[in-house]
Amino acid sequence: MFVTVCKDYDEMSRKAAAMVARLVRAKPDAVLGFATGSSPLGLYQELVRMHKEEGLDFSRVTTFNLDEYCGLPPDHPQSYRYFMNENLFNHINVPMERTHVPDGMAEDWRAHCAEYEEMIRQAGGIDLQILGIGSDGHIAFNEPGSSLGSRTRRVFLTRQTIEDNSRFFERKEDVPTSAISMGVATILEARTCVMVVNGTNKAEALAAAVEGPITSMITASALQMHPDTHVFCDEAAASRLTMREYYDWISHQMEADG
Ligand code: GLP
């Protein structure tokens, strides 16, 4: 894993967005994987800025989101489809029909999950997957104990995740208890993974993911098996990393090499 510690959230967002932009310029029909949550919001704002001010062109891009709450329709303000439209898709020139978010209202969720995996395959696989991390170390909604070989499926959220995500809902009881989520193995197939992590409440999860053992109890740790994962974090999130000095040194070498 390549770990870049940034001075703050803005720098983290800019550096991660720059990786996305570089790919889209080099491969205009790139397949991008997106995540929701507060961590990638700045990254999305930066992509919108680059689209508006620098003409970054998303017209041939295809996108797949990691997950969606079960039971929330796309027009529900807390649904991940709504989040993506509001924070990114409505502000760039990606054709809406090329954006994919799992359908949390699917009646036959098994068939829907298989179809979602198939659509990713048909699109040629995900070139770059954006990720956040849950405070319990999860990626997408792959909660502790999720198989590292898991594929897109219906998952049940932990009490911790429901608690964490309740800040977006009026009442804790309103937070859905299950979701459709890409699996760990689905995510590991992306050619490049970019994880953005900020804040002290993520410090332990990040240290466990990057420096701890590979374990289904911290599903982000599976990224250690991925050949091209880039972590962009702020100082607060980096505070528990023991190899911090080494990561800084590598980052400087890589910047110098262009
Ligand atoms: C949810 C999402 C994850 C996200 C996590 C952290 O659980 N399914 O994809 O990484 O929240 O969210 P935040 O960035 O708001 O802390």
Side-chain angles (χ1 to χ4, degrees):
M1 279 200 239
F2 302 99
V3 180
T4 304
V5 184
C6 306
K7 72 172 193 300
D8 55 22
Y9 180 79
D10 285 351
E11 187 181 281
M12 173 193 91
S13 304
R14 273 199 310 277
K15 288 197 169 171
M19 273 198 79
V20 179
R22 215 174 301 134
L23 170 69
V24 172
R25 288 194 188 101
K27 187 179 180 193
D29 60 349
V31 179
L32 302 177
F34 285 130
T36 48
S38 49
S39 313
L41 264 181
L43 188 170
Y44 297 153
Q45 280 159 12
E46 179 62 6
L47 291 181
V48 170
R49 188 199 66 74
M50 283 192 273
H51 169 66
K52 297 210 156 115
E53 293 175 13
E54 298 166 13
L56 186 63
D57 182 15
F58 293 90
S59 62
R60 293 173 59 203
V61 155
T62 301
T63 76
F64 289 94
N65 260 75
L66 289 170
D67 45 15
E68 178 61 284
Y69 286 119
C70 286
L72 297 194
D75 59 354
H76 189 290
Q78 300 310 333
S79 77
Y80 284 172
R81 161 53 82 179
Y82 189 92
F83 175 101
M84 289 310 297
N85 289 357
E86 283 289 300
N87 292 297
L88 185 64
F89 300 150
N90 287 343
H91 310 286
I92 58 175
N93 64 335
V94 63
M96 235 2 136
E97 63 276 14
R98 293 169 87 111
T99 67
H100 305 91
V101 179
D103 179 3
M105 300 298 283
E107 274 176 28
D108 185 346
W109 63 265
R110 281 194 183 83
H112 177 63
C113 292
E115 197 187 314
Y116 200 70
E117 290 266 342
E118 186 51 30
M119 281 194 295
I120 295 174
R121 252 190 306 276
Q122 294 282 331
I126 293 171
D127 290 304
L128 186 152
Q129 176 67 56
I130 301 293
L131 296 165
I133 187 171
S135 64
D136 62 4
H138 71 235
I139 41 174
F141 268 133
N142 293 290
E143 298 285 32
S146 296
S147 161
L148 301 185
S150 53
R151 314 291 317 186
T152 304
R153 69 212 184 287
R154 184 178 181 201
V155 294
F156 289 91
L157 311 187
T158 60
R159 202 175 297 194
Q160 177 70 55
T161 298
I162 292 173
E163 188 81 34
D164 287 353
N165 294 356
S166 64
R167 67 189 194 275
F168 300 112
F169 292 81
E170 246 169 58
R171 296 170 313 158
K172 201 164 86 184
E173 300 78 66
D174 296 340
V175 186
T177 52
S178 66
I180 303 282
S181 176
M182 275 190 207
V184 178
T186 319
I187 294 168
L188 291 181
E189 279 171 10
R191 289 176 194 101
T192 296
C193 288
V194 172
M195 189 159 81
V196 280
V197 191
N198 64 289
T200 325
N201 65 325
K202 299 290 178 65
E204 248 176 67
L206 182 63
V210 177
E211 298 178 340
I214 297 174
T215 167
S216 64
M217 293 307 286
I218 304 281
T219 51
S221 67
L223 293 165
Q224 291 176 30
M225 295 188 297
H226 189 278
D228 193 36
T229 288
H230 301 255
V231 175
F232 294 93
C233 62
D234 68 357
E235 288 285 351
S239 59
R240 302 292 287 267
L241 294 172
T242 58
M243 297 292 283
R244 164 70 194 271
E245 216 184 306
Y246 181 55
Y247 306 139
D248 286 351
W249 187 71
I250 297 175
S251 299
H252 286 130
Q253 301 287 317
M254 289 189 22
E255 260 173 43
D257 288 353

